[in-house]
Structures are given as C-alpha cells and as structure tokens.
Amino acid sequence: MLEIDGLTVAYGKMTALRDVSMAIRADDMVALLGGNGAGKSTLLNTISGLVQPEKGEIRWQGQSLRGLGPDIICSLGIIQVPEGRKLFPAMTVEENLLMGAYLPAARKVRRQSLDWVYSHMPHLAQRRRQRAGSLSGGEQQMVAIGRALMARPRLLMLDEPSLGLSPRASAEVFAIVSNLNREGMTTIIVSQEVQETLSITSYAYVMENGGIALHGPSAALREDPEIKKSYLGL
Amino acid sequence: MGKKKSKHAFLLFFLIGVCLTAGLPASVLGAAKPIVIGGSLPLTGQYAETGQWIERGMRYWAEEVNAKGGLLGRPVEFKIYDDQSEVSKAVTFAEKAITVDKVDLLFGGYPGTAARAVMAVAEKHKYVYVSMGGHMKSFQQGYTYSFGAPPLMGEWWYEGFFQWLATLPANQRPKRAAVYTINNPVGLSLMDSINRWTKKLGIQVVINEKYNAPLADATPLIVKAKQLNCDLLFSNGFFPDGVTTIKAAKALNYNPKAIVQGIGSVIPAWVKELGRDGDYVFSGTSLYNKLNYPGNDKLNAYVKKKYGLDGYPLYFGFGYAWMQTLEQGVRGANSLNQTKIRDWLKTHKVHTIAGPMTFDKNGLPPPINFCTQIIDGKVELIWPKNIRTREPVYPKPAWK
Amino acid sequence: MDPVLVIQSLISGVMMGMVYALLGVGFSLTWGVMHVIHISHAVFGLLGAYFAYTLLTLYGVDPVVSAMVSTPLLFIVACAVYQVLIRPLTKAREMVVASMILTFGLAIILENLLVLVWKADPRLLTPSYASESWIIGPFYLQYPHLIGFALSLVGISSLYVFLKKTTTGMAVRAAWQNQEAARLYGVNLFRISMITFALAVSTAGAGGISLALLYSFEPHSHNLWLIYLFLVVIVGGVGNVIGTALAGLIIGVITGLSMAFLPYQWVNLITFGLLMVFLIFRPHGLFGEVG
Amino acid sequence: MKKVPLIMAVLTVAVLALFPLLRPEVYYLSFLFTLFMYVVLSSSWNVIGGYAGYLSFGHAAFFGIGAFATAKMATAFSLSPLLTILSSIPAGLLAALVALIVGYPCLRIRGPYFSVVTICFAFVVDLAVKNIEELGGAEGLWMTFMDLPEETSRAIMYEVMLLLMVVTLATVYLLGRSRFGRGLTAVRTDEEVAETMAIPTAKLKIQAFVVSAFFPGVAGGLFAYYLSYIHPDAVFSINISILIVLMAMFGGGGTWLGPIVGAVILTVVNEGLSTFAQAEIARIIYGALFIIVTIFMPDGIIAYFRRWATAQRKA
C-alpha cells in the first residue's frame, strides 16, 4: 500500500534521513521505534509532504508522492496525528474535529464522521463546546485522533500518541488505536513505549541515526534478547 | 545555476543602477551659462502640497523672465531638491546648492521650521535668502541676508481682521472669544495679535487652549465654545484640524458672530473641498490675488488656464513674489554678488505682486494687514478698506 | 463638570475609535495569521478613500455604496499583491522583519502614486449629510460619525461571522493557532494567507472611507492613520477581532474623557502615556492574542 | 578582528579623518556628517534591536533627548563651542538614564508589543517637550554657532561625529564578541531557554538598552549643534525611528556590518535620488529598492552575501 524507497532528507547540512526503505501492507499495523532524533518524526513529516526529500521515492498505491503538497497527500487519505497533538487550542473540540474534515471529500460526510467519532469517543461528545486548550492531556490526544479520523484516513500515522499521558490515558489511547486497526485501518505508530507498541503491532521498524537499523515481525523483535538490549533499551 | 547567475546579475545591475542615477551630477550646463537658482522644497511627504505650489509659482516666474530675455542677459534655471519635508535635509540641500552646485542664487523654502534652519545656513555662507521666514522670532536672530518678501508672519496675520473689527460700533463687536491654537510655531505666533487686540477691544478671551496635532476630534471644542456663549471663534490651525473644527461647528449648529481660521483656509482646497460650509471664515494674508498691483491679473489668467482655479493660490503667489524680490535685487545691484544684492534690497523699494515694499534691518517689510473673508465660495479682500473687493459679511449667517 | 460636554465628547470619541477599529482589524489579522506587519495597510485605506472621493465628486455616489464596491475590488488587487510581493517572503527567516521592510517600500510607492494620480492637495469626503446631525435632546449625533460607526460595526461583525461560521474562516483561525497541524489537514497556507491578506486589505478600504467621512486626507495621511490603528490593534490583542473593536471603543473613551476634562494641550500626551502604561501592565492587550 | 580587516578598518578611518584636509565643499562634510550620524544611530540601535531582537521603534526619542539637552545646556550657560560639543556627552548620559528608567518596565514586554510601547514612549517625549516652555516648547531652540569660517566649523563637526562613529562601532564590535553579546544573542534566539541556562536576561537587556540609547543621545547633541536651530519635529519624528530600524534590518540586523551597510546605502541613495526633477518618481524608486532587496535578500544584504560567498567557495 505504501512503499518507501531509498528516502534521504536533509535539513541544511544535517542529514535527517538516510536511505530509508520500507513497505506497509493494507490493514497492517506497523511500529516505528527508535530513540530521540532517530528520524521517526521526519519520516512521518516527509510522508505527509511537510518535508520534501532530497532523494528517494514514496509510493502510495503505486502512485509517486514526489512534489505533492500536504493538502494533496491529505486528500489521498494519508493522515498524521502529529507529535504533541498540535490542536487548535482556542477552538472548541467540535471545531477541532471539523478541521479534520476540511478537504471537500471529507467535508461532504462530516456529519456522519462526527457521529462516528463521538460514538468511538463518547466523552468528547460531552465536551464538544469546550476550548480544546482547556482539556486534559488524554482528552487532547483523543481530540487529535478524532480530528484525524474526521479526515477519513486510509493510512493513519500516529506520532507519539501516548507521550506525556498518565498510564491509564495511555492505555486508553492504545486500546482505541488497536480497535481501529481491527476495524481495518492501516496504521503506523511511532512510540517510545516499546513493549506496548510491539504488543499491538504486527511488524516493526527500528530507526537509528536517520536510517533503518533493523526490522521484523513485532513478536520476533520482542523475543530477541540481543535486540532488546541494544536497540530497545529493555 | 544559470538562473541563479542571472538573478545575481540583475540584482547587481539594479543596485549599481540606483547608485549611479542617484549620484549623477545633474549639472549639465548649457552654452548660454544660465543663472542657476538652487535650494530645496518639500515636494514629497507632509508638506508636499504647499511645496509643489511654491515650485509652480517659481517656475512660472522663470518662464516669464526667460521669455523677456533673462536676468542680466542670462537665462535663469532652477535646481530644486526635494527635502522630503525634513528640516535636516533642507539644511544639507541648501549647503549642497551653495557649496557644490555653487548656485548663483538661493531660493526660499517651506515650512517655517525649515526656513528657520536654512536662514542660519544662508547667513553663514552670505547668501541672500528670500522666503516666508519662520515668523517674528526667526527674524530677530540677527540674520542680515534673510528677507521676508513678503513674509508669512503669524504675528501680523490677524492684524487686518482686528483693524476692521475696531471699525465696528462697540455694541456690534463680539464680546467673548474662544481661541483654539495648534501648538507649533505658526499657531503660537498668531497669539501675539490676539492677545494685543482682544485687550484693546475689550473682548474677553473665555477659552484659550492649545492642542497638539493631530486633533482627533473637534466636537468637545465646539461644545465648550457653545456652552460658554463665545461669539467669536479663533480656529488657529492647519487644514486638517481647521476642517474638523468647522465641520463640527456646523454639525453642532454653533453660530458665533465670526469665525477666524488662521492657516488652513488659505489653501485652495478649503474652498474647493468644503464648499459652502467654508464660507464667511476670516483669515489674514500677506498677498492676495485680486490686489491691484501689476502682475496679479497675469498670474490669475495663467492659473485659470493651467489649473482651472479662480485666482492663484497663496503659495503659488509666494513662490512668484519671492522670486520677484530676488530678481529686482539682482537687477538693482546689477550683479550676482550676494552682499551687493543684500545691500540694494535693504536700501531700495521693490515692487511685487504683494505691492511695493522696503525692508528694515531684520529683512522685514512694514507690517502687512490684509484681511480676507470667504464669501460665496470666493476669497475676498475685506481690509484695508480702500482696496476691499467686497463688503464683509457680519455677523456670520446661521448654518443652513 | 458639565454632563453634556462629557457625554457629547464620549459619543464622538467612541464613534471615532470604532472607525479606527475597522481600519485596524485587518492589520490585526495579517499580523496574527501571517506574521506580516503590513505597513502599507493604511495606504490601502487611503486608496478606498480616494476611490469614494472620485465616485462622489464625479457621479455623486454615496460613500457607503463606494465602500460596498471598493471591498471586492480591493480584494482582487490584494490577491495580486499577495502573490507577487508577500508570498516570496515566506522564505525569510524573520517574516515579521522582512514583511515590515517590504511593505514600508510598498507604502512609499503607493503614497507617491497617489500623489501622481490625485495630487498632494488635501481632500474631503462631503456627501450631502457631511455636516448634519441627528439631534436628541441636548446631544448631536453627527451623521458622518454615525455612518462611519455603522460601517465599522457591519465590517467588523461580518469579519467575525466569517471567521466563526465559515469553513474557510475556521481554516484561517486554525492556520494561525497551529500552522503545521492546519497544513496536515489539507489547509493550503498560501491560499489561506492570500484570503486573509485580501480580506484585511478590503476592510482597510472600507475603514479608509469611514475615516475620510471624519477627517480630511492627503497622500501622506496614512502615516498618521497607521499609528492609531497600531494602537487599537495592540490594545485589542493581535489577531483578536472582537478585541480590536473593544479597543477602538476604549481608545475612543480615553480620548473623549481626556478632551472633556483636560487642557487640550495635554490630551495626546495623556493618551499615549496611558497606552504606554497600559501596555506595560497588560502586555498582550486587554483581551489576549487569540480569539 | 583578523589582521586584514583590522588594517582595512584603520585605513578607512584614517582616510575619512584626513578627508577635510582636501578642503572639500562644505556640503560633502555635512552629508558625511549625517551619514556617520545614521551609522551611529543604526549601529547602536542594533545592540538592542539586532543582537537582542527587541525592535525599538522609539529610538528617535533618545536622539531627541540628547539634542534638546545639549541645546538647553548650551543656551542656558552660553557654553563655548568646545564645551557645547562636550556637553553632548552628559546629554548622552541623560538619554542613557532615561533608557534605564523606561527600559526597566518596558523590556519585560516582548515582541511587537515592545515595539509599540517604544513608539508610545517616543510620542510621549515629543509631546512633553512641545509642552514645556523651558525647552522652547513648540517654538524650538536657537543655538549660537561657533564664530569660525564655515569650512572650519563644519570640518570640526565632521571630525567629532567621525570620532563618535568610530567609538560606537568599536564598542558595538567588542560587545558583540563578548559574553555580553553572546548572552544577547541567546535572548534573541530563545529567551526562555536563555533564562534556564542561568543567563541574567533582564540585566543584559537593560544594559543593552542603555548602551543603545547613549550613543544616539550623544549624536543628537552634535546634531543639534550642527543644525543650530532645533525643533521637536526635526528630532523626534517617527520617520527617524523607522529609518534607524530599516537601515539596520536592511543591511542585516544582528550583524556588526549590517547597520553600517544599510545606513550607507540608504543615506546615499536617498540623498542622491532627491536630486531627481520628478520627486515622486524618485521616491517610488526608493520604495522599490526596499521591495526588491527584501524579495531577493529576505534576511538582509549581509546574510545574502555571506551565503553567496560560501556558495562560491564551495563551487
């Protein structure tokens, strides 16, 4: 569904991604692991079109994404939930959600999407008129995921969805994400919570210094003691 | 790469081009060796309007002189710098005209603050400087090369109005005055005659306030004057604040016996833009386009043809008259020697469109006491009585 | 103190303040949303004023009608200005600084084009009601003030409705609260910036017409207008539409009261001094930046 | 400073200092006087505006305070020419003192809000001077000029302003390379981070503001004497404040060379363009200069040519 081939990205003189290749199948749930500055967020931002690659190719269902802006990529159904949630703090919860359905195709069905999101996250419905900035961290993360769902994603990319959340909120987020995947949503999840992430994903890539250090089925990575020690800090 | 290079080339070209055109010495003198008259005017920025009218008046004078065979047998030519309405630029350009262009004659500038600073330059370089001056204070600095010919002398501006007022029977004169003055050299200089004459005529100054420009709102001014029953309103301001005040006076239906508007009502825009609301306003002047002195008819005809105006604007006349004075100084001295020109001007009578005048040791003519009133959309001279173009309208009719 | 004087001063002060708010609200938006400090904003206001002046003197068109016509025209002009001049600035490291320098240059150019087209002479917008009043008891409501006030109310509230109720308006607000997130959900920042800029400039045109009903104007008047609208925007909080309107009212009240109670000589000094003190204590405006 | 640039700087100053010996026309001395003055103004502005990133739009206030202080001292005590020139130093100190008092509350405010506070400040000072009769009020002040031939007196003013410029530039240069300068850069980059790194930001900002007010104050004093008649409109004009900022930013704020380049280019171009017959066209060209430079060099001329030079070296 999504193929990445020899992707290299540089910020000025600093190379952020070097020769990254990966493939993600439909309905898959893939983990992207690695320490700070390994290049995970850059990879997602490049897929989203916020960053333009120097070399390499991203193909979405066989179509190259080269040179496309974030609005086009968004309209193709590749949706990111950015790190740190990046909500619109002064807007209400509902306005935030509606912003997810900004592009015309999603806008047409936004009422249904809204009902669907509220049915998945019922306590957002109660807070629909509240300013997003006034919510708790867990609730904000829910809004961020809800906003992404409003865009009717075909590939959902979550960047550190559990960062800064209480264990309970974090578990809730993971539950929602794996639930969505079970309903057939292709998902990439970037996380520092290695154990949990590996337990809900089927395949994992580990990044280091802008490159892919290793990859394999999540279950296998979880078992390998060598890998656990050197890459996953377990 | 090629695209980048062409961008660089373009940039470099542009910068060099600007620098070259900027630094180009424009002193491409003709064979006839004209007399060059140099200086600066505010052609852009805050005082652009006035500066441009002065320039037009000066250029008309040059046209006329050159048609008559020039000055001392040589054609005249201007070198006018744009000081962008900045005092310090007016000073450096005066110095540039004097020391670099080595102009034969210096011309005067505007506004008063610039004239005040340039008068010092002219004095130091011993160049005759004929301009509006910067009111009485600047002529009391001991400068010997500066002439107000005619000056724009705030201290005299209302002289004619008061002289006329004094001729009215005492019971018809206004009793209570409201005086609103813009806080700058022009406004302050107007206070001199107001203080002197109100005392003399027994007019009580009920309100006497200064304001700093910009005047955000004139409503309170008018309400106050109305409540305190002031039957004489002095609006001693420029055009913007003058207009705001008059409009508020009409909107609030304030009807004093007379409104005197100092400096704003002397420019053509007053009559043109305010229309009938600008009527019956009194003001002073030091030259007037219907004066029975030679030249005024010609100027009026020219302005009518070229700009479609009835009667030349004050500053057009000033530009022309200052040049007339300078011209006669040169002819009288029969030389371009500045000291000779100065000495001739100090000892002889010159004839300008503002009338004949002689200058005292400060470079000033005897006080001028014209008073104007706008009647039926025209600026009419109502004082001195013997040359009045129309009977004054007094008391001012109520607003319609 | 005489109550008639105080109330009358307050009335006209408040109306005057609102008119500045209409001129300022767009300035506030471009600043808040795009990080562009648009120095030539008030020149576009002047452009509106000259447009209305020309229509009035040549064809007797009422300034209110001119305001309706100038708004779409300026919108189109502003789109072009955005594409040619403002959009390239996104490369700059410091957008605020670069935009200030560029639009300063633009202001000089436009000011002098105004001189070339309309001459430097001061102008007045004088429709038939230019110095008429609606008299209520001892109070006079001057029609030009009233109409300027009404125009401002309509202009500011339609801008508010646009921002709150339309999808594009929501995108504008989103873009300025979090650019990256807005882009991720398909907001084309260039398009949103262009719309914001164009809306700002077209409201400036209407604001200029309202101001011209109150004051005379000439090509350099924009310098003065700019200072006042700067103050309104800062007191209201950058990007805050309702805040800008309220700030207009507050500045009007300050001016009105100080004119009623103080010697006029001190009015401007007190106004600016109060604003300075105010800013020191409420550095982000009365109503905060976002709203 | 490396050796070669240092030698070049010394040579430039020497040539400039000897220039009056060629007996140039007075205008050139006056023109360079104003040019040096703007270099002083924009370079000292750069300490607070460029290095620290606090865009003050009220710097004309300090310039004007210096001008009026000198003019008042000179007229009140009938100072001799030498003392008048020297009196610009206490005038500068007065400007610095005002900066200290005003800076304390104002520098807590960040970003554009700071800019607007400084605009208000400049207006307040301007209006206050206009309302104070002792300072000449709205009439302005006349000073008696030195009783010397014009060439000599202008040459003296030229040399004094040159000296002030050299002192200012040297001070700004050394400050920029000191811990103080690095601290200011940290403030500009991210003030909160700077605070967490135990940089005394509040103190640094005040010091920078005081320094950036002192030199304009001195320059104002000299300017008053140069003009010999000063009016609040001539020294407190917001146009001067804006021009100072533009010069620094145009060349490249935060760099030592930027304000110098900006001041020189803008002063020369503006002065030269004013000789055009059609004044409006000249102004339009001047405006276009800002637009074209910003579009092609959005970070200022210095940054642009630095990048260009690095690219050339690479290629």
Side-chain angles (χ1 to χ4, degrees):
Chain A
M1 195 176 196
L2 183 80
E3 290 156 58
I4 297 173
D5 195 11
L7 200 65
T8 301
V9 170
Y11 295 120
K13 279 177 203 148
M14 234 176 60
T15 310
L17 287 185
R18 57 186 99 233
D19 200 23
V20 170
S21 301
M22 56 169 64
I24 288 150
R25 277 169 294 136
D27 304 339
D28 228 354
M29 178 129 161
V30 173
L32 200 53
L33 306 171
N36 274 332
K40 297 163 303 188
S41 294
T42 305
L43 179 58
L44 293 198
N45 284 342
T46 314
I47 298 173
S48 285
L50 289 176
V51 178
Q52 288 301 326
E54 203 154 84
K55 268 192 284 210
E57 188 88 272
I58 306 173
R59 274 185 304 277
W60 171 245
Q61 297 180 320
Q63 180 199 347
S64 169
L65 299 185
R66 175 164 283 273
L68 299 183
D71 45 340
I72 310 280
I73 290 175
C74 176
S75 71
L76 293 174
I78 305 176
I79 310 296
Q80 186 189 157
V81 180
E83 185 181 359
R85 306 182 276 271
K86 301 216 162 75
L87 294 183
F88 308 118
M91 290 165 59
T92 63
V93 168
E94 186 150 314
E95 283 176 327
N96 266 280
L97 294 177
L98 289 174
M99 270 313 293
Y102 174 72
L103 286 174
R107 201 182 304 166
K108 261 182 235 148
V109 292
R110 62 181 184 178
R111 282 292 137 203
Q112 293 96 300
S113 306
L114 209 53
D115 293 342
W116 184 58
V117 169
Y118 283 147
S119 70
H120 273 72
M121 308 171 183
H123 52 280
L124 287 191
Q126 292 157 19
R127 305 195 180 263
R128 60 206 288 174
R129 302 248 167 268
Q130 232 169 301
R131 275 166 56 112
S134 67
L135 301 184
S136 73
E139 287 166 329
Q140 289 198 13
Q141 189 61 51
M142 291 303 181
V143 176
I145 295 174
R147 180 175 66 179
L149 294 179
M150 292 293 291
R152 295 287 170 137
R154 298 170 63 197
L155 170 66
L156 185 64
M157 304 187 292
L158 299 123
D159 197 350
E160 304 279 10
S162 59
L163 196 71
L165 298 190
S166 67
R168 236 187 87 201
S170 161
E172 213 173 316
V173 168
F174 276 107
I176 284 184
V177 172
S178 50
N179 195 20
L180 284 168
N181 177 245
R182 266 196 295 283
E183 287 175 23
M185 178 89 65
T186 314
T187 309
I188 301 177
I189 180 163
V190 169
S191 182
Q192 309 263 22
E193 301 205 20
V194 178
Q195 279 296 359
E196 260 155 317
T197 313
L198 285 179
S199 70
I200 59 167
T201 53
S202 55
Y203 201 84
Y205 289 86
V206 180
M207 292 187 74
E208 196 184 42
N209 290 331
I212 304 280
L214 66 133
H215 56 94
S218 303
L221 289 183
R222 218 146 55 121
E223 299 311 312
D224 193 326
E226 199 48 35
I227 290 169
K228 268 161 115 173
K229 217 162 112 196
S230 50
Y231 292 109
L232 306 177
L234 294 173
Chain B
M1 195 64 213
K3 200 182 157 201
K4 265 219 170 117
K5 239 181 192 152
S6 69
K7 198 173 94 181
H8 283 296
F10 168 71
L11 264 177
L12 215 62
F13 180 75
F14 178 82
L15 282 176
I16 291 174
V18 168
C19 291
L20 272 184
T21 38
L24 208 72
S27 53
V28 196
L29 296 178
K33 190 93 169 75
I35 290 178
V36 179
I37 310 170
S40 79
L41 284 173
L43 298 178
T44 60
Q46 199 180 351
Y47 303 111
E49 188 237 350
T50 312
Q52 290 181 1
W53 276 116
I54 295 174
E55 185 191 355
R56 289 171 197 145
M58 286 176 9
R59 291 211 185 273
Y60 175 62
W61 167 83
E63 226 173 85
E64 220 181 53
V65 167
N66 287 336
K68 283 191 300 194
L71 195 54
L72 302 181
R74 291 160 62 183
V76 295
E77 183 184 288
F78 282 114
K79 183 146 186 56
I80 303 175
Y81 294 105
D82 168 26
D83 59 42
Q84 298 162 22
S85 307
E86 279 178 37
V87 175
S88 67
K89 285 214 154 60
V91 167
T92 38
F93 282 128
E95 290 188 338
K96 187 173 188 186
I98 294 169
T99 66
V100 177
D101 304 330
K102 306 211 186 322
V103 295
D104 302 296
L105 298 166
L106 192 65
F107 67 75
Y110 183 88
T113 43
R116 283 176 174 197
V118 174
M119 279 160 95
V121 176
E123 189 66 21
K124 280 178 269 180
H125 291 275
K126 300 194 165 46
Y127 258 73
V128 171
Y129 182 67
V130 182
S131 75
M132 60 176 280
H135 311 282
M136 194 55 94
K137 283 226 164 91
S138 61
F139 286 98
Q140 290 166 340
Q141 303 294 322
Y143 303 140
T144 60
Y145 284 84
S146 290
F147 291 88
L152 192 157
M153 190 60 64
E155 283 80 356
W156 302 344
W157 210 244
Y158 292 158
E159 206 61 32
F161 170 75
F162 282 114
Q163 286 178 8
W164 162 76
L165 206 60
T167 65
L168 292 182
N171 60 349
Q172 287 179 24
R173 283 185 217 143
K175 303 277 177 302
R176 298 159 65 81
V179 183
Y180 296 115
T181 309
I182 191 166
N183 192 24
N184 69 17
V186 200
L188 298 181
S189 64
L190 295 170
M191 290 311 296
D192 180 66
S193 55
I194 294 177
N195 290 336
R196 239 180 322 118
W197 277 97
T198 47
K199 218 169 278 161
K200 202 156 150 192
L201 298 180
I203 298 169
Q204 192 191 348
V205 177
V206 183
I207 306 171
N208 186 3
E209 292 228 47
K210 285 188 281 188
Y211 57 83
N212 287 298
L215 178 61
D217 187 13
T219 315
L221 278 65
I222 298 301
V223 175
K224 234 183 225 178
K226 200 173 165 185
Q227 284 182 338
L228 295 174
N229 290 316
C230 296
D231 51 2
L232 175 58
L233 172 70
F234 285 96
S235 160
N236 301 329
F238 281 64
F239 185 86
D241 32 321
V243 161
T244 316
T245 312
I246 295 296
K247 278 173 70 176
K250 184 181 179 196
L252 298 170
N253 199 26
Y254 168 54
N255 285 297
K257 283 186 174 147
I259 299 178
V260 187
Q261 209 294 331
I263 321 124
S265 60
V266 302
I267 63 171
W270 186 272
V271 171
K272 186 166 158 276
E273 301 294 316
L274 262 182
R276 303 314 297 266
D277 291 353
D279 269 358
Y280 312 121
V281 159
F282 289 96
S283 187
T285 186
S286 37
L287 92 116
Y288 178 64
N289 54 38
K290 291 205 193 67
L291 285 174
N292 198 17
Y293 299 117
N296 283 303
D297 293 346
K298 233 174 17 185
L299 256 68
N300 285 330
Y302 173 81
V303 166
K304 177 90 197 165
K305 202 175 112 222
K306 185 129 190 210
Y307 306 105
L309 293 172
D310 287 325
Y312 61 78
L314 178 65
Y315 288 99
F316 181 91
F318 269 139
Y320 183 88
W322 297 335
M323 285 299 120
Q324 274 190 310
T325 305
L326 202 55
E327 176 191 344
Q328 285 167 58
V330 172
R331 285 192 203 283
N334 196 23
S335 150
L336 288 168
N337 181 305
Q338 300 289 328
T339 310
K340 279 188 189 155
I341 301 171
R342 174 194 70 174
D343 293 343
W344 190 91
L345 284 174
K346 290 253 157 118
T347 49
H348 291 77
K349 190 183 252 184
V350 297
H351 297 268
T352 70
I353 50 171
M357 51 184 93
T358 52
F359 303 100
D360 63 10
K361 68 174 184 8
N362 291 331
L364 286 174
I368 298 169
N369 54 6
F370 296 134
C371 176
T372 59
Q373 188 181 22
I374 296 168
I375 303 169
D376 298 333
K378 287 204 171 75
V379 183
E380 305 284 355
L381 192 68
I382 60 128
W383 191 264
K385 199 170 181 180
N386 53 340
I387 50 171
R388 114 176 352 164
T389 53
R390 202 145 164 195
E391 288 300 310
V393 177
Y394 177 88
K396 184 187 94 63
W399 299 107
K400 275 185 215 105
Chain C
M1 248 308 141
D2 179 66
V4 173
L5 173 64
V6 175
I7 293 170
Q8 185 77 62
S9 308
L10 274 179
I11 292 173
S12 56
V14 159
M15 292 188 174
M16 177 205 81
M18 270 308 274
V19 170
Y20 275 112
L22 176 59
L23 190 66
V25 71
F27 186 80
S28 191
L29 273 187
T30 37
W31 186 350
V33 181
M34 303 162 62
H35 304 289
V36 164
I37 295 194
H38 186 198
I39 304 291
S40 50
H41 187 80
V43 194
F44 285 100
L46 266 184
L47 211 57
Y50 276 104
F51 177 76
Y53 176 86
T54 310
L55 286 189
L56 178 68
T57 46
L58 291 185
Y59 310 106
V61 178
D62 190 273
V64 176
V65 178
S66 301
M68 309 285 170
V69 181
S70 76
T71 306
L73 285 181
L74 275 176
F75 191 92
I76 295 164
V77 171
C79 285
V81 170
Y82 174 79
Q83 291 293 349
V84 178
L85 297 180
I86 311 292
R87 190 171 163 162
L89 287 189
T90 30
K91 285 182 306 192
R93 232 179 310 148
E94 288 178 74
M95 181 80 168
V96 169
V97 170
S99 67
M100 251 176 358
I101 301 177
L102 183 134
T103 53
F104 178 80
L106 183 60
I108 295 181
I109 294 181
L110 290 176
E111 176 185 327
N112 285 284
L113 285 177
L114 290 179
V115 176
L116 290 177
V117 176
W118 278 284
K119 302 275 171 286
D121 306 59
R123 310 282 173 165
L124 272 179
L125 204 52
T126 45
S128 52
Y129 49 80
S131 38
E132 308 282 322
S133 289
W134 179 27
I135 302 162
I136 307 174
F139 304 115
Y140 288 73
L141 298 183
Q142 297 162 56
Y143 283 137
H145 287 61
L146 269 180
I147 288 176
F149 183 72
L151 261 179
S152 301
L153 278 188
V154 171
I156 293 174
S157 37
S158 26
L159 208 56
Y160 182 74
V161 169
F162 163 78
L163 286 175
K164 280 281 175 196
K165 300 290 173 209
T166 68
T167 316
T168 312
M170 208 157 78
V172 169
R173 283 191 296 146
W176 126 56
Q177 288 171 36
N178 197 319
Q179 285 207 356
E180 195 180 309
R183 288 180 69 194
L184 278 175
Y185 292 98
V187 173
N188 182 333
L189 279 188
F190 290 127
R191 192 174 147 266
I192 289 300
S193 298
M194 183 175 82
I195 292 174
T196 309
F197 186 76
L199 274 175
V201 165
S202 49
T203 51
I209 294 176
S210 311
L211 265 180
L213 283 168
L214 267 57
Y215 304 109
S216 69
F217 55 98
E218 31 198 308
H220 73 84
S221 302
H222 69 96
N223 294 305
L224 190 65
W225 293 3
L226 187 68
I227 292 162
Y228 277 89
L229 73 88
F230 228 120
L231 295 175
V232 174
V233 168
I234 290 290
V235 172
V238 173
N240 191 331
V241 172
I242 296 299
T244 309
L246 292 175
L249 294 182
I250 289 169
I251 289 181
V253 168
I254 294 178
T255 314
L257 286 182
S258 53
M259 288 204 90
F261 290 105
L262 292 171
Y264 297 144
Q265 190 175 356
W266 298 96
V267 166
N268 288 357
L269 180 61
I270 299 293
T271 312
F272 286 111
L274 273 180
L275 280 167
M276 196 176 150
V277 172
F278 166 84
L279 277 170
I280 287 169
F281 288 105
R282 292 287 315 216
H284 289 274
L286 258 191
F287 315 100
E289 283 206 28
V290 177
Chain D
M1 225 187 249
K2 280 181 216 123
K3 230 176 189 168
V4 177
L6 184 66
I7 292 171
M8 267 170 62
V10 170
L11 271 180
T12 315
V13 172
V15 168
L16 287 174
L18 295 175
F19 177 60
L21 294 182
L22 298 176
R23 306 198 62 76
E25 299 301 349
V26 166
Y27 162 73
Y28 293 111
L29 295 177
S30 294
F31 172 67
L32 286 172
F33 175 89
T34 41
L35 191 142
F36 296 160
M37 184 180 86
Y38 275 112
V39 172
V40 170
L41 294 179
S42 59
S43 287
S44 37
W45 177 87
N46 198 29
V47 175
I48 187 74
Y51 292 158
Y54 274 71
L55 304 191
S56 157
F57 273 81
H59 252 55
F62 302 120
F63 178 65
I65 287 172
F68 270 90
T70 298
K72 188 61 200 172
M73 281 188 269
T75 49
F77 308 119
S78 324
L79 296 181
S80 69
L82 178 67
L83 285 177
T84 307
I85 288 174
L86 286 178
S87 75
S88 62
I89 294 172
L93 288 174
L94 178 69
L97 179 69
V98 173
L100 182 69
I101 297 166
V102 176
Y104 182 70
C106 289
L107 284 161
R108 291 184 307 152
I109 308 166
R110 288 179 194 175
Y113 298 95
F114 174 76
S115 306
V116 174
V117 170
T118 52
I119 292 180
C120 287
F121 165 66
F123 278 125
V124 167
V125 177
D126 175 29
L127 290 164
V129 170
K130 279 180 181 160
N131 286 349
I132 299 172
E133 304 280 328
E134 287 71 32
L135 292 174
E139 285 279 11
L141 285 172
W142 276 271
M143 299 169 76
T144 42
F145 207 71
M146 47 185 107
D147 191 17
L148 287 171
E150 192 56 7
E151 294 79 25
T152 323
S153 65
R154 281 297 194 235
I156 292 173
M157 294 311 288
Y158 168 95
E159 295 290 359
V160 175
M161 191 54 96
L162 177 64
L163 178 66
L164 177 63
M165 180 177 83
V166 171
V167 172
T168 309
L169 290 180
T171 313
V172 174
Y173 183 86
L174 293 175
L175 284 183
R177 265 141 201 81
S178 64
R179 261 184 56 187
F180 175 71
R182 282 193 299 277
L184 291 181
T185 313
V187 168
R188 182 185 57 194
T189 321
D190 194 325
E191 197 163 337
E192 265 122 36
V193 171
E195 263 159 30
T196 57
M197 283 156 58
I199 295 174
T201 54
K203 206 177 103 197
L204 283 182
K205 287 188 292 181
I206 287 275
Q207 287 168 343
F209 199 51
V210 168
V211 168
S212 79
F214 171 71
F215 294 110
V218 179
L222 297 179
F223 180 71
Y225 199 30
Y226 156 84
L227 218 52
S228 82
Y229 165 72
I230 56 161
H231 186 270
D233 287 348
V235 286
F236 289 114
S237 154
I238 184 157
N239 294 331
I240 296 178
S241 293
I242 292 176
L243 193 59
I244 296 171
V245 181
L246 286 176
M247 282 172 169
M249 288 303 175
F250 188 81
T255 62
W256 179 74
L257 208 51
I260 307 176
V261 170
V264 170
I265 292 184
L266 289 185
T267 314
V268 169
V269 169
N270 194 16
E271 185 88 354
L273 280 175
S274 293
T275 63
F276 262 70
Q278 177 78 333
E280 293 88 4
I281 304 290
R283 300 300 293 158
I284 287 172
I285 295 173
Y286 184 64
L289 179 74
F290 284 99
I291 291 185
I292 291 187
V293 169
T294 326
I295 285 186
F296 290 104
M297 315 174 183
D299 301 319
I301 296 175
I302 293 298
Y304 178 82
F305 280 104
R306 278 211 183 128
R307 231 172 287 152
W308 189 50
T310 357
Q312 291 291 306
R313 233 175 286 143
K314 260 190 193 169

